[in-house]
Amino acid sequence: MAHPIQTQCLAFGPAAIQTAAALIAEGQPVAVPTETVYGLAADATQGEAVARIYAAKGRPSFNPLIVHVLELGAAEALGVFDAGARALAAAFWPGPLTLVAPRRAGAPIANLATAGLATIALRVPAHRAMRALLKATARPLAAPSANASGRISPTRAAHVLASLGGRIPLVLDDGPTPAGLESTIVLPGDAPRLLRPGPIDQTAIEAVLGRPLGSAPGGVIAPGQLASHYAPGKPLRLNVVSAESDEWLIGFGDVAGDDSLSRGGDLTEAAARLFDCLHRADASARARIAVAPVPVEGLGAAINDRLARAAA
């Protein structure tokens, strides 16, 4: 980030939770322990708040994030659960299990949090700090691991400070995380699949479901997998300053268009708006889509990576 900020580290307690909740209400990310690893939490309903997670982690891929909620009812308000998903939730929630479900129509989750996919990754955490923060904010919280992209996952507050100090405003310290390993991710359904191994053993999951788990399918439907292609239904041309008559131009900065990622050239705003802009362009009457140049620096590297995959 161009202007490093002062990162506070506060011991878990009511005052620290109040401070963290106030920052999240302002759209800022804060680091908080879960039973798996420390997570970088932000309001999952705000696109710009989610974009700040990516910006703090540095040069990310647009992978979907896990959305944390307090209980099964809150999860079912965001995703469509079948009998298998409910059985797994009853057996392992709260706990280190993430369930991938079809995203419920009208769910108030920022498209950036789900990477524009039709599915949503949901977890009900057990750790007291994350649960206290969920209660205080009364919001679903998107929270990938609280580390710079490509670094070792953080299991202590000191790990977070070493990686993200100067990039985020607050780290909540509640000691080492119990599991120290990211959550198990499962895709329930008629052919349930293990998308990522984790603290909950595959055999325990299979015992609840009464059937074996298959391996992960191709493409990205959950965190921890390769970045997916966002494929609009129209041809996409990049680094365009002047559009052709049959192109819908998505502008950036000084390049105006039919829409804009950010008229002020703000990369965080651009990341938050990317999927929405592409959806609007795809729904327009124009035959093709054009996108203005976006600088390949910081969060712009991820934006360009996503656009290049979409154009391919």
Side-chain angles (χ1 to χ4, degrees):
M1 299 176 72
H3 303 287
I5 60 178
Q6 185 68 36
T7 302
Q8 282 187 286
C9 186
L10 299 178
F12 170 76
I17 290 295
Q18 184 178 9
T19 300
L23 285 165
I24 285 177
E26 295 170 5
Q28 297 297 324
V30 301
V32 57
T34 75
E35 65 271 32
T36 58
V37 298
Y38 273 72
L40 187 58
D43 185 346
T45 70
Q46 291 187 39
E48 289 193 27
V50 175
R52 289 189 179 100
I53 293 176
Y54 287 103
K57 285 174 68 71
R59 297 181 63 86
S61 297
F62 276 90
N63 287 327
L65 305 180
I66 295 172
V67 176
H68 297 69
V69 294
L70 268 175
E71 40 84 28
L72 175 59
E76 289 204 79
L78 303 176
V80 179
F81 279 42
D82 63 9
R86 291 191 190 96
L88 290 172
F92 301 114
W93 277 359
L97 175 69
T98 295
L99 296 174
V100 176
R103 179 173 170 170
R104 190 172 292 281
I109 297 296
N111 280 338
L112 190 58
T114 60
L117 298 172
T119 53
I120 184 170
L122 293 159
R123 184 160 91 85
V124 174
H127 196 285
R128 66 176 185 173
M130 182 58 118
R131 292 189 65 79
L133 190 56
L134 284 164
K135 288 176 184 175
T137 59
R139 291 284 188 276
L141 298 178
S145 58
N147 58 297
S149 183
R151 300 291 293 274
I152 299 170
S153 293
T155 58
R156 296 176 182 269
H159 299 163
V160 181
L161 288 168
S163 188
L164 297 182
R167 299 189 189 186
I168 61 175
L170 177 65
V171 179
L172 281 175
D173 186 356
D174 199 17
T177 59
L181 185 68
E182 292 88 352
S183 63
T184 304
I185 302 181
V186 173
L187 173 67
D190 295 335
R193 297 176 183 270
L194 178 66
L195 303 185
R196 183 175 75 184
I200 297 177
D201 188 77
Q202 179 174 343
T203 55
I205 295 166
E206 291 174 339
V208 171
L209 292 176
R211 67 178 81 177
L213 288 173
S215 57
V220 169
I221 56 174
Q225 297 179 297
L226 213 59
S228 68
H229 292 224
Y230 176 84
K234 300 173 181 178
L236 180 64
R237 192 163 66 100
L238 303 180
N239 299 313
V240 176
V241 175
S242 179
E244 302 292 344
S245 60
D246 66 340
E247 289 180 325
W248 177 278
L249 177 59
I250 299 173
F252 178 81
D254 292 337
V255 178
D258 300 283
D259 203 346
S260 180
L261 293 172
S262 172
R263 289 182 172 82
D266 185 288
L267 291 173
T268 298
E269 182 184 20
R273 289 175 53 80
L274 177 60
F275 290 117
D276 289 336
C277 286
L278 286 171
H279 277 298
R280 281 193 290 272
D282 213 21
S284 77
R286 310 277 173 79
R288 296 186 295 153
I289 303 169
V291 184
V294 177
V296 186
E297 59 185 36
L299 195 54
I303 295 169
N304 278 283
D305 173 74
R306 197 66 174 142
L307 286 169
R309 293 174 187 276

